[in-house]
mmCIF file of all heavy atoms in Angstrom:
data_model
loop_
_atom_site.group_PDB
_atom_site.id
_atom_site.type_symbol
_atom_site.label_atom_id
_atom_site.label_comp_id
_atom_site.label_asym_id
_atom_site.label_seq_id
_atom_site.Cartn_x
_atom_site.Cartn_y
_atom_site.Cartn_z
ATOM 1 N N GLN P 395 2.979 -51.398 6.257
ATOM 2 C CA GLN P 395 4.439 -51.490 6.332
ATOM 3 C C GLN P 395 5.002 -50.474 7.313
ATOM 4 O O GLN P 395 4.693 -49.325 7.195
ATOM 5 C CB GLN P 395 4.971 -51.385 4.990
ATOM 6 C CG GLN P 395 4.571 -52.430 3.989
ATOM 7 C CD GLN P 395 5.230 -52.252 2.609
ATOM 8 O OE1 GLN P 395 6.318 -51.729 2.469
ATOM 9 N NE2 GLN P 395 4.603 -52.740 1.579
ATOM 10 N N PHE P 449 9.021 -37.564 26.900
ATOM 11 C CA PHE P 449 9.644 -38.270 28.072
ATOM 12 C C PHE P 449 8.698 -39.409 28.577
ATOM 13 O O PHE P 449 9.101 -40.568 28.925
ATOM 14 C CB PHE P 449 9.768 -37.243 29.253
ATOM 15 C CG PHE P 449 10.712 -37.744 30.257
ATOM 16 C CD1 PHE P 449 12.053 -37.833 30.100
ATOM 17 C CD2 PHE P 449 10.245 -38.115 31.616
ATOM 18 C CE1 PHE P 449 12.874 -38.283 31.032
ATOM 19 C CE2 PHE P 449 11.077 -38.531 32.555
ATOM 20 C CZ PHE P 449 12.478 -38.698 32.388
ATOM 21 N N ILE P 486 17.408 -37.251 30.754
ATOM 22 C CA ILE P 486 17.807 -37.911 29.465
ATOM 23 C C ILE P 486 19.248 -38.000 29.337
ATOM 24 O O ILE P 486 19.844 -39.013 28.869
ATOM 25 C CB ILE P 486 17.122 -37.149 28.304
ATOM 26 C CG1 ILE P 486 15.579 -37.329 28.264
ATOM 27 C CG2 ILE P 486 17.835 -37.476 26.968
ATOM 28 C CD1 ILE P 486 14.840 -36.357 27.480
ATOM 29 N N VAL P 524 34.880 -30.009 27.797
ATOM 30 C CA VAL P 524 35.480 -31.455 28.028
ATOM 31 C C VAL P 524 35.382 -32.189 26.743
ATOM 32 O O VAL P 524 35.869 -33.351 26.739
ATOM 33 C CB VAL P 524 34.678 -32.149 29.235
ATOM 34 C CG1 VAL P 524 34.812 -31.429 30.398
ATOM 35 C CG2 VAL P 524 33.283 -32.386 28.844
ATOM 36 N N ALA P 559 36.693 -14.129 19.553
ATOM 37 C CA ALA P 559 38.183 -14.252 19.727
ATOM 38 C C ALA P 559 38.637 -15.717 19.891
ATOM 39 O O ALA P 559 39.539 -16.210 19.329
ATOM 40 C CB ALA P 559 38.651 -13.398 20.923
ATOM 41 N N MET P 580 24.895 -13.486 16.191
ATOM 42 C CA MET P 580 25.323 -13.030 17.604
ATOM 43 C C MET P 580 25.446 -11.499 17.645
ATOM 44 O O MET P 580 24.892 -10.799 18.567
ATOM 45 C CB MET P 580 26.467 -13.638 18.176
ATOM 46 C CG MET P 580 26.886 -13.291 19.549
ATOM 47 S SD MET P 580 28.502 -13.989 19.882
ATOM 48 C CE MET P 580 29.594 -13.155 18.857
ATOM 49 N N SER P 586 25.266 -4.852 17.577
ATOM 50 C CA SER P 586 26.529 -4.423 17.049
ATOM 51 C C SER P 586 26.468 -4.757 15.612
ATOM 52 O O SER P 586 27.149 -5.637 15.051
ATOM 53 C CB SER P 586 27.740 -4.960 17.763
ATOM 54 O OG SER P 586 28.914 -4.390 17.315
ATOM 55 N N LYS P 664 5.533 -16.250 -3.767
ATOM 56 C CA LYS P 664 4.692 -17.221 -4.354
ATOM 57 C C LYS P 664 4.862 -17.504 -5.711
ATOM 58 O O LYS P 664 4.923 -18.602 -6.225
ATOM 59 C CB LYS P 664 3.220 -16.836 -3.913
ATOM 60 C CG LYS P 664 2.893 -16.918 -2.469
ATOM 61 C CD LYS P 664 1.484 -16.698 -2.237
ATOM 62 C CE LYS P 664 0.950 -15.360 -2.563
ATOM 63 N NZ LYS P 664 -0.533 -15.099 -2.243
ATOM 64 N N GLU P 694 -9.489 -10.085 6.141
ATOM 65 C CA GLU P 694 -9.663 -10.847 4.843
ATOM 66 C C GLU P 694 -8.566 -11.789 4.518
ATOM 67 O O GLU P 694 -8.774 -12.885 4.148
ATOM 68 C CB GLU P 694 -10.062 -9.906 3.805
ATOM 69 C CG GLU P 694 -10.510 -10.501 2.476
ATOM 70 C CD GLU P 694 -11.819 -11.188 2.594
ATOM 71 O OE1 GLU P 694 -12.659 -10.810 3.516
ATOM 72 O OE2 GLU P 694 -12.160 -12.177 1.826
ATOM 73 N N GLN P 726 -13.266 -9.732 17.510
ATOM 74 C CA GLN P 726 -13.167 -11.126 16.761
ATOM 75 C C GLN P 726 -11.760 -11.763 17.020
ATOM 76 O O GLN P 726 -11.651 -12.917 17.222
ATOM 77 C CB GLN P 726 -13.254 -10.838 15.230
ATOM 78 C CG GLN P 726 -14.610 -10.211 14.824
ATOM 79 C CD GLN P 726 -14.759 -10.071 13.244
ATOM 80 O OE1 GLN P 726 -14.537 -10.977 12.438
ATOM 81 N NE2 GLN P 726 -15.106 -8.890 12.934
ATOM 82 N N ASN P 785 24.300 -8.444 35.356
ATOM 83 C CA ASN P 785 22.952 -8.186 34.771
ATOM 84 C C ASN P 785 22.110 -7.471 35.753
ATOM 85 O O ASN P 785 22.110 -7.708 37.096
ATOM 86 C CB ASN P 785 22.244 -9.515 34.491
ATOM 87 C CG ASN P 785 22.848 -10.244 33.248
ATOM 88 O OD1 ASN P 785 23.416 -9.756 32.452
ATOM 89 N ND2 ASN P 785 22.889 -11.628 33.455
#
Side-chain angles (χ1 to χ4, degrees):
Q395 297 183 24
F449 196 71
I486 289 162
V524 299
M580 179 188 68
S586 188
K664 293 188 292 184
E694 187 65 24
Q726 296 180 59
N785 295 324

